[in-house]
Amino acid sequence: MMARRGLAVFLIALLAVPATASPSTGSPAVAVPIGTISQSDATNVGGAGALPGTTVFSGDTIEVGPRGSAWILMNGGRNVRLSSDSRIRLVEPVGGANRVEMEIFSGAARFRSGEKATVVARLADATVRAKGTQPAVGLISVVSRNLAIVGAEQGELLVSTAHDGRSLTLREGDAWYRIFQGRWRSAVSLHKSIQRTKKKLVSGERLAELE
């Protein structure tokens, strides 16, 4: 089991966007390989069953079933691990050979950005990325359509939400953070509630799968 460093957790309220919205500023005209499935259990890529060694192309949707898991390796020291019941899409934007955008629709994901090759996570109108050029490891778990848990396992993460123009830096080992569309009283109440019941939350269980 991978040792867990100090973890900062951020409850982030999301403004829902259409499911068809693209996380990228553009898609290449030809298929571009961006990674390889290293570990696979109950996993589909582009609607087909994926075994270890399966190539992941820009624009592919990766789905993990109940009790499944997946690990995607990319160049530059980047990787993405998915828990059970997860669904993401990976896109390399046109002209962005050193950046992969991961749109997460459900479940939980652990991602690692390298020094020169990054992973930018998108969920609804929020983005999560490494701050600066140092490697960083982040954890994201979708709680509901409008709420997600974001954690900084290693390094610093910059979390930004478009609907309220807010940005926050999560530092490794920080205390819990929370935000709920600017209504801090509701945020604190929600934060305490999740602390009391985090072991019972499906989202918490999915994060534990990524340890």
Side-chain angles (χ1 to χ4, degrees):
M1 179 177 291
M2 178 177 58
R4 173 71 62 84
R5 297 192 180 187
L7 183 64
V9 177
F10 176 46
L11 304 183
I12 180 172
L14 308 172
L15 183 64
V17 295
T20 55
S22 171
S24 167
T25 55
S27 297
V30 296
V32 176
I34 57 175
T36 303
I37 299 291
S38 173
Q39 177 182 320
S40 172
D41 187 12
T43 300
N44 288 336
V45 175
L51 297 174
T54 298
T55 299
V56 177
F57 293 91
S58 178
D60 276 348
T61 296
I62 303 167
E63 299 176 277
V64 180
R67 295 179 296 279
S69 63
W71 196 338
I72 305 102
L73 300 182
M74 295 173 278
N75 64 10
R78 297 173 296 183
N79 62 68
V80 173
R81 291 182 63 183
L82 301 176
S83 74
S84 59
D85 294 308
S86 294
R87 178 172 173 260
I88 67 167
R89 181 170 53 162
L90 294 175
V91 173
E92 181 180 285
V94 175
N98 292 324
R99 185 173 89 252
V100 167
E101 298 184 354
M102 174 183 71
E103 187 171 16
I104 178 168
F105 303 101
S106 60
R110 176 188 185 272
F111 67 94
R112 184 186 190 280
S113 279
E115 291 184 12
K116 297 181 179 180
T118 62
V119 176
V120 178
R122 295 183 180 273
L123 54 164
D125 74 326
T127 60
V128 183
R129 68 183 71 210
K131 185 174 182 179
T133 59
Q134 294 303 309
V137 177
L139 291 158
I140 299 175
S141 183
V142 177
V143 179
S144 69
R145 183 177 181 181
N146 297 313
L147 187 68
I149 299 174
V150 179
E153 182 178 300
Q154 179 182 335
E156 294 184 339
L157 298 178
L158 181 65
V159 184
S160 303
T161 47
H163 70 270
D164 54 12
R166 292 192 176 202
S167 294
L168 179 67
T169 298
L170 286 181
R171 297 179 176 85
E172 179 183 335
D174 280 355
W176 286 59
Y177 283 93
R178 62 273 182 189
I179 184 172
F180 192 69
Q181 295 188 2
R183 294 177 295 203
W184 293 100
R185 183 173 300 176
S186 297
V188 172
S189 174
L190 179 62
H191 165 60
K192 291 180 179 178
S193 175
I194 286 186
Q195 276 189 308
R196 288 195 299 267
T197 61
K198 60 183 179 181
K199 291 184 179 180
K200 299 179 181 179
L201 287 176
V202 171
S203 58
E205 294 173 357
R206 288 173 180 155
L207 284 175
E209 293 177 25
L210 302 176
E211 292 183 342

